[in-house]
Amino acid sequence: HFEVKHNDVVSFSLSGIPKVGKPITAKVDKMIFPDLLGNETIYWQAPFINGTGQSISTTPRVAGIFPIKCSINKRKGISQNVTVVEAKITEGFWNDFGGSEISRAKWQQTVDYCIKGENIEGEKIELHIYDDDNPPNDDDFAYSNTENNKVIVGTNNKGYTFHSIELNDTIKD
């Protein structure tokens, strides 16, 4: 049995989990024939990826499920639905080192701020704390992990990320 076929894309993959605001690359993994002829072009079509070439990079701006089609010379090609996720913090609370949630602490005490979220694994988190000691008009800036050269990196969706803060005179003033 002998057949004459046009070349086309059989499969493609994405670099990592597509996430809002994070660059991602789509790359052809397999074609019917491994090499392109001079008159063959690979086309990418999607709400957030449009262009040509063996691979294409983009940064998704919204979360959702989106179809991506990759083909040679606009033939049938291959289509995949891709889920773009968004990192979000879903829970945050103060904790003492005994593992109990707290609503008060004393000066010079070290406490943890616990953060849980969806799709935050590997994300750098900025924590800004304000002292509201004279409502409604007295929100004083008290602490920022970035200004103190502390990096907070999110963990997987089942775990908590912890950040220790000493309630010292710097925060008090």
Side-chain angles (χ1 to χ4, degrees):
H1 178 157
F2 178 78
E3 241 181 304
V4 177
K5 289 188 147 212
H6 290 288
N7 200 5
D8 208 351
V9 176
V10 176
S11 68
F12 67 88
S13 60
L14 301 174
S15 62
I17 297 171
K19 194 180 286 190
V20 172
K22 299 291 179 183
I24 191 154
T25 300
K27 178 181 164 220
V28 172
D29 293 326
K30 187 175 179 185
M31 299 181 293
I32 293 172
F33 302 108
D35 299 316
L36 291 173
L37 297 176
N39 65 344
E40 293 178 325
T41 302
I42 297 173
Y43 289 90
W44 296 90
Q45 297 169 313
F48 57 89
I49 295 178
N50 285 300
T52 61
Q54 287 274 33
S55 65
I56 190 165
S57 295
T58 189
T59 302
R61 301 283 178 223
V62 294
I65 299 173
F66 303 97
I68 297 178
K69 180 179 180 186
C70 182
S71 64
I72 294 177
N73 292 350
K74 305 211 177 181
R75 294 191 181 103
K76 181 180 177 186
I78 186 84
S79 293
Q80 291 181 24
N81 283 329
V82 174
T83 301
V84 176
V85 297
E86 185 170 20
K88 56 182 143 179
I89 293 174
T90 58
E91 186 178 356
F93 60 90
W94 295 101
N95 181 320
D96 66 11
F97 283 109
S100 300
E101 187 173 334
I102 59 174
S103 60
R104 288 187 202 153
K106 61 185 176 200
W107 291 111
Q108 309 312 316
Q109 182 178 347
T110 300
V111 294
D112 278 339
Y113 192 72
C114 305
I115 302 164
K116 190 171 188 178
E118 296 172 359
N119 308 305
I120 64 170
E121 186 169 0
E123 293 289 328
K124 288 185 180 176
I125 298 169
E126 288 187 25
L127 176 63
H128 300 277
I129 300 170
Y130 293 84
D131 178 16
D132 189 13
D133 54 3
N134 207 2
N137 302 324
D138 191 31
D139 282 344
D140 299 327
F141 177 74
Y143 177 86
S144 166
N145 65 298
T146 54
E147 287 186 10
N148 286 283
N149 297 318
K150 306 273 184 183
V151 177
I152 305 172
V153 179
T155 58
N156 66 33
N157 290 344
K158 295 180 183 174
Y160 286 95
T161 298
F162 301 93
H163 181 67
S164 295
I165 301 167
E166 182 184 346
L167 302 174
N168 58 30
D169 291 336
T170 309
I171 294 174
K172 191 176 190 179
D173 296 336

